[in-house]
Amino acid sequence: MHGNEWDVTSAAGPAPGATPVRPEGHRLVPLATALLQGDGLILHWSEDAEALLGYSAEEAVGSYAAQLLTDGTDRPEVLSLFAHIMGGSAGWSGVFPVRHRDGHKVDLEFRTYPIAGPAGTLLLLATASDIRALQAVEADLAVLDGVFDRSPIGMAVYDTELRYVRLNEALARMNGVPIAAHLGRRIPAVLPGINSVEIEQTMRQVLRSGKPVVDARSHGRVPGDPKRDRAWSASYFRLEDSTGRVFGVCSSIIDVTERFQAEARAARAQERLATIAEATARIGTTLDLQRTAEELIEAVVPRFADFATVDLLEPVLRGAEPTPIPSDRTVTLRAVAVGESYESGLAHAVDTVGETSEYAPDRSYTQCLRSGRPLLRAHVDAEVLRGLVSSEDRVEPGIAAGIHSYLMVPLTARGMVLGGSEFIRMRNSEPFSDADVALAEELVARTALAIDNARLYRRERETALTLQRSLLPQEIHRTLGLEIAYRYLPSSVVSEVGGDWFDVVPLSCGRVALVVGDVMGHGIRAAATMGQLRTVARTLATLDMPPEQVLTRLDETASGIGEGQFATCICAVYDPLERTVQIASAGHLPPIWVAPDGTARRVEVPPGVPLGVGGVAFESIEFTLPEGGMVTLYTDGLVERRGQDLDDGIDLLADTLAGPGRTLEENCDAVLGALVTDGTEDDIAMIMARVLPLPADRIATLPLTGGGRLPGKARRFTRATLDSWGLTALSDYAELLVSELVTNALLHAGAPRRLRLFRDRVLTLEVSDAGGSAPQLRPFAEQDEGGRGMFLVSELAQRWGSRLTRDGKVVWAELELPFGAV
């Protein structure tokens, strides 16, 4: 009892030492008390008595109970019962109707207790409660007991120290522990195999805040089912009385193991989908074979496996077509990518990137590759691992690292096996499942296709590079009066083999043509087009065509190659004797000119249109190069960068070249260091040429003016010059050639202007005149006295020709120098 009220608690009673628990909304039954003298005079009247019957203590005390609480009809019966009670030694209990102050009858259940008063006076203590309230409480208790006893849901009541106070049989069965073994104990003591720390944290939160918690998840193993993980959903609410006094926590618990497992399966499926989506975006972002393998490793570690490897067959790495694996041969694989989620020590028991391993024909790994089907070993021990590894010495380190589950999936693309990918679990306690095999197959298939694409692109790139290298100059001939340096860099992008080219073409009379071009597009077609244009350009240049005519013919060639084949090109012809250069451009970037004092600027060349457009004339400019001056020709791969203005790249090139004191090789290195920092998306071709002084013993000039016999004068000058150069052996041939060239000029061009002898790789004899037509080989009869001069020149000279100049033409002939005379 508490005061004058009954406390309706659990039938099982509280645990020893536990705080009594009163459920929230608990019904309180008023208990009226009264103390009567032996004659029925009321001595004490409680507040609950006033609440039940309406009489205040002032009204009741001093009154006779029979007169106050009965009417005339019941009074004799009341007096008789009172006398009986007072005359006996034991109390009495029973139900009797009593009159309320307002006149209606109230059925009360009485309990009386005779007691001794002062000086031995006999008194009577009477307690009473409304029978209807008691019946309602009994009904509540019946409902509560029914919920606890018959509910299939586990239910429990805990005190403020979180000890079990009451629980039902359903919860006891769920835990596999009798009810009595719960009472007075906390959850960790009863159920050590579940996440009790989190559960008690939730219960304390409910105790503090008063806010119920619904569907709080818990999991673990219980004594009733110690070998299987289970899951539960619990709801908690605080127990308190109408005054807010807290008595504890109540919980309802249901087993949600099947739903938990279904949710876990759904979560794993969702995670697999997320892994596939992420891997799809990550794998195959480049055409680099090794990077693609690394992307697979990054996609699966640690989400799917603790350790993973990708190994490829040796022929695949060489770019060869994969072939079926023979059943009687060992298989050699090279590690391409290896990754782990933590330092397990397993990396020391497998091949590092670049190392190879050989697998015998009867090994599980080899058989898996041969079949093209996955190899799953859900549970791995030393014996299983021994059949998987390539050598016995790898078994012990693998077991020591904690390998417990293994999966290998062949890398298969277009029906052929390229290699294998291994997945290993150590800390991840879940063994690989069939669902994991399906996921791994999906990821590996994507990787295999990307790797095969990378292999094909690599092969195409190598083919294009081989073609490209074969079409580029294999040797740059030394040019008198000009120092030349060059660089060629293929694109750093695997698939981006371009059509950039350069050429240095030796011409007659010591001149040289510098050509740089860039075919638009990439791949083998671009490289092949480059080869065609370079060959045509070289041929046209050797015909002594000026640069603008070379580009015109190249334009016609590009138009004839096929639709959509365009190229830019710049052609420069340098004459070391005159120190002049003629330049023409077909949509190419401007050259950079560096003066002897180190100042650099662009050369403003008429831009022209790209080769292949057709129908547009090209223009050339001519200027003189001083000794020590330098000119640089290049392709756009050197100065063009994504997100940057092209002019900024050209300005940076000019700034890098500015300043005297560096050699051409140093200038080339400086340019690449400044402009090519992170690789290039396009090929780079670059030529630098610097004017050098001509040695005095390499050139001799005779003006052909004034009177006298010019052929004879030319012959004497030629013999004297060759004698001084140590080329006397060539004097007879040279005199005859010079005589015929001068005579031809006298007969067909009015008069010769100049004879010039030039010694470089060959001996060049050239005669300039004012004529505008080239000499021709005309047929002649035996009786003709003339017309044989150019035939003699053609027969005696190693090579001969003519070219037009601004004020006439030059006719030249070349003689091969004696061995060792260069």
Side-chain angles (χ1 to χ4, degrees):
M1 285 185 290
H2 298 273
N4 293 325
E5 299 173 348
W6 288 357
D7 179 19
V8 183
T9 61
S10 166
T19 303
V21 176
R22 186 175 306 204
E24 183 177 356
H26 187 58
R27 188 186 299 276
L28 300 178
V29 180
L31 182 63
T33 60
L35 186 63
L36 285 74
Q37 290 184 159
D39 57 0
L41 184 69
I42 299 172
L43 300 177
H44 169 74
W45 189 258
S46 69
E47 292 180 357
D48 283 348
E50 178 180 350
L52 279 174
L53 299 175
Y55 296 101
S56 65
E58 289 78 7
E59 293 174 313
V61 174
S63 299
Y64 287 97
Q67 295 177 353
L68 186 69
L69 302 176
T70 64
D71 54 18
T73 58
D74 296 330
R75 194 168 297 159
E77 184 180 356
V78 171
L79 292 175
S80 173
L81 180 59
F82 184 73
H84 172 74
I85 294 172
M86 294 301 293
S89 59
W92 173 86
S93 63
V95 178
F96 199 88
V98 178
R99 185 181 66 184
H100 192 274
R101 189 176 185 278
D102 61 9
H104 76 275
K105 293 291 182 73
V106 179
D107 290 329
L108 299 180
E109 182 175 344
F110 283 94
R111 292 182 184 273
T112 61
Y113 308 92
I115 60 176
T121 305
L122 184 63
L123 302 176
L124 182 68
L125 175 63
T127 63
S129 57
D130 190 336
I131 188 62
R132 291 173 300 177
L134 287 174
Q135 290 172 345
V137 168
E138 289 172 353
D140 288 347
L141 289 173
V143 170
L144 181 60
D145 288 341
V147 171
F148 262 74
D149 294 340
R150 297 180 180 84
S151 173
I153 298 174
M155 303 185 70
V157 177
Y158 313 84
D159 62 19
T160 55
E161 298 299 324
L162 304 185
R163 294 172 293 201
Y164 284 99
V165 173
R166 183 177 182 181
L167 70 155
N168 64 355
E169 187 62 35
L171 182 58
R173 288 195 304 270
M174 197 180 297
N175 294 341
V177 179
I179 291 177
H182 287 75
L183 299 178
R185 303 170 70 194
R186 288 171 50 191
I187 294 175
V190 179
L191 305 172
I194 69 173
N195 58 327
S196 56
V197 174
E198 292 85 348
I199 295 172
E200 290 195 336
Q201 287 177 348
T202 302
M203 295 169 69
R204 289 191 179 94
Q205 176 186 343
V206 172
L207 277 174
R208 287 192 302 268
S209 67
K211 296 180 180 179
V213 173
V214 179
D215 194 24
R217 295 298 179 92
S218 55
H219 55 85
R221 299 183 180 185
V222 296
D225 193 2
K227 295 184 177 180
R228 189 161 67 106
D229 290 326
R230 306 194 66 85
W232 302 272
S233 172
S235 297
Y236 303 95
F237 60 91
R238 190 169 72 182
L239 296 173
E240 58 186 57
D241 62 14
S242 57
T243 64
R245 184 170 52 167
V246 177
F247 294 97
V249 178
C250 185
S251 68
S252 60
I253 303 169
I254 59 174
D255 191 317
V256 293
T257 300
E258 292 185 0
R259 187 174 73 183
F260 177 80
Q261 291 173 343
E263 290 175 351
R265 287 192 295 271
R268 286 194 294 270
Q270 185 69 27
E271 184 176 1
R272 285 193 290 269
L273 290 175
T275 301
I276 291 175
E278 181 180 336
T280 300
R282 171 178 287 181
I283 297 173
T285 58
T286 70
L287 289 171
D288 182 87
L289 188 147
Q290 180 166 346
R291 180 58 193 146
T292 300
E294 292 171 351
E295 288 169 344
L296 173 62
I297 300 297
E298 293 168 0
V300 300
V301 176
R303 175 181 290 183
F304 180 75
D306 295 318
F307 193 94
T309 68
V310 175
D311 299 84
L312 296 179
L313 296 168
E314 278 290 293
V316 173
L317 289 169
R318 293 195 300 267
E321 285 292 332
T323 58
I325 300 174
S327 59
D328 58 345
R329 294 183 184 177
T330 60
V331 176
T332 302
L333 295 106
R334 186 178 298 275
V336 179
V338 178
E340 59 182 345
S341 60
Y342 66 97
E343 289 289 340
S344 64
L346 188 57
H348 303 295
V350 301
D351 294 328
T352 59
V353 174
E355 291 184 343
T356 60
S357 286
E358 289 190 354
Y359 290 86
D362 59 344
R363 308 297 290 180
S364 299
Y365 193 104
T366 310
Q367 295 172 359
C368 176
L369 288 179
R370 191 179 298 118
S371 69
R373 294 189 295 270
L375 172 64
L376 172 63
R377 295 292 183 263
H379 302 284
V380 174
D381 55 21
E383 187 61 30
V384 172
L385 189 58
R386 189 169 287 107
L388 297 173
V389 297
S390 59
S391 59
E392 179 70 23
D393 58 356
R394 297 187 175 185
V395 175
E396 185 176 345
I399 295 299
I403 296 177
H404 70 85
S405 193
Y406 173 90
L407 173 62
M408 197 283 273
V409 180
L411 287 151
T412 305
R414 300 175 179 89
M416 300 305 296
V417 174
L418 309 178
S421 183
E422 296 175 293
F423 307 98
I424 295 170
R425 285 181 177 172
M426 296 173 288
R427 282 186 179 175
N428 186 338
S429 60
E430 290 290 327
F432 287 113
S433 63
D434 291 339
D436 292 325
V437 173
L439 172 61
E441 285 185 299
E442 175 71 19
L443 298 179
V444 171
R446 294 174 184 271
T447 305
L449 183 60
I451 285 177
D452 198 46
N453 287 338
R455 178 187 66 84
L456 294 174
Y457 275 114
R458 173 183 287 184
R459 187 174 66 181
E460 179 182 352
R461 173 180 169 80
E462 290 176 352
T463 301
L465 283 174
T466 301
L467 174 62
Q468 192 179 53
R469 293 190 190 101
S470 68
L471 296 174
L472 290 173
Q474 304 302 307
E475 181 183 2
I476 300 298
H477 294 286
R478 179 180 57 84
T479 300
L480 202 63
L482 198 66
E483 178 187 6
I484 296 176
Y486 62 93
R487 292 290 187 274
Y488 180 82
L489 274 69
S491 167
S492 58
V493 181
V494 173
S495 63
E496 299 298 302
V497 175
D500 293 20
W501 90 89
F502 72 94
D503 206 349
V504 179
V505 186
L507 304 178
S508 62
C509 306
R511 296 174 307 122
V512 62
L514 307 179
V515 184
V516 172
D518 182 3
V519 176
M520 297 180 186
H522 299 88
I524 293 180
R525 186 183 183 192
T529 301
M530 175 269 285
Q532 291 175 283
L533 294 179
R534 173 183 175 268
T535 301
V536 173
R538 189 176 186 88
T539 301
L540 294 173
T542 56
L543 294 177
D544 285 330
M545 286 186 177
E548 67 273 14
Q549 290 187 19
V550 171
L551 295 183
T552 299
R553 299 299 185 187
L554 277 178
D555 181 46
E556 296 172 357
T557 301
S559 299
I561 289 175
E563 185 178 354
Q565 289 295 291
F566 301 101
T568 65
C569 183
I570 190 165
C571 179
V573 175
Y574 175 68
D575 187 340
L577 304 180
E578 304 291 340
R579 284 185 180 167
T580 59
V581 61
Q582 284 183 289
I583 301 180
S585 173
H588 204 79
L589 299 177
I592 300 298
W593 159 248
V594 181
D597 62 1
T599 58
R601 62 176 177 84
R602 304 184 193 188
V603 179
E604 299 300 332
V605 182
V609 297
L611 303 177
V613 173
V616 180
F618 297 96
E619 300 179 43
S620 66
I621 62 170
E622 181 176 332
F623 57 93
T624 301
L625 295 179
E627 186 178 312
M630 180 179 70
V631 66
T632 300
L633 311 180
Y634 54 94
T635 57
D636 58 2
L638 181 65
V639 295
E640 189 175 38
R641 293 294 178 271
R642 192 184 304 273
Q644 295 182 5
D645 189 81
L646 184 61
D647 286 333
D648 293 340
I650 298 175
D651 291 341
L652 178 57
L653 172 61
D655 293 341
T656 305
L657 291 173
R662 286 195 300 252
T663 66
L664 288 188
E665 293 295 331
E666 291 171 344
N667 272 327
C668 287
D669 293 338
V671 166
L672 295 181
L675 279 78
V676 185
T677 55
D678 298 319
T680 174
E681 298 180 1
D682 198 359
D683 293 355
I684 294 175
M686 176 175 62
I687 298 178
M688 294 185 188
R690 175 175 287 160
V691 178
L692 300 177
L694 276 177
D697 60 348
R698 295 279 180 163
I699 184 172
T701 303
L702 172 66
L704 296 176
T705 58
R709 294 180 55 84
L710 294 181
K713 183 178 180 181
R715 288 194 297 271
R716 290 190 294 273
F717 175 80
T718 299
R719 179 173 291 278
T721 301
L722 295 184
D723 288 344
S724 66
W725 287 352
L727 299 177
T728 305
L730 296 179
S731 296
D732 293 340
Y733 291 104
E735 283 187 42
L736 183 54
L737 288 173
V738 166
S739 178
E740 291 300 329
L741 292 178
V742 172
T743 300
N744 187 74
L746 287 170
L747 293 176
H748 303 288
R753 292 180 174 175
R754 181 186 60 200
L755 167 65
R756 185 159 58 188
L757 309 182
F758 182 71
R759 178 168 65 96
D760 189 11
R761 295 180 301 275
V762 294
L763 175 64
T764 302
L765 314 169
E766 65 172 47
V767 174
S768 60
D769 58 48
S773 59
Q776 302 292 326
L777 291 177
R778 298 183 179 88
F780 60 91
E782 292 184 2
Q783 65 273 15
D784 292 343
E785 295 184 0
R788 297 178 175 82
M790 296 310 300
F791 274 100
L792 286 174
V793 171
S794 178
E795 290 297 323
L796 295 177
Q798 179 186 359
R799 201 167 61 113
W800 74 278
S802 65
R803 70 176 188 278
L804 297 178
T805 62
R806 294 185 182 277
D807 53 2
K809 71 176 183 295
V810 171
V811 183
W812 54 268
E814 292 179 353
L815 288 174
E816 185 176 355
L817 296 178
F819 181 76
V822 177

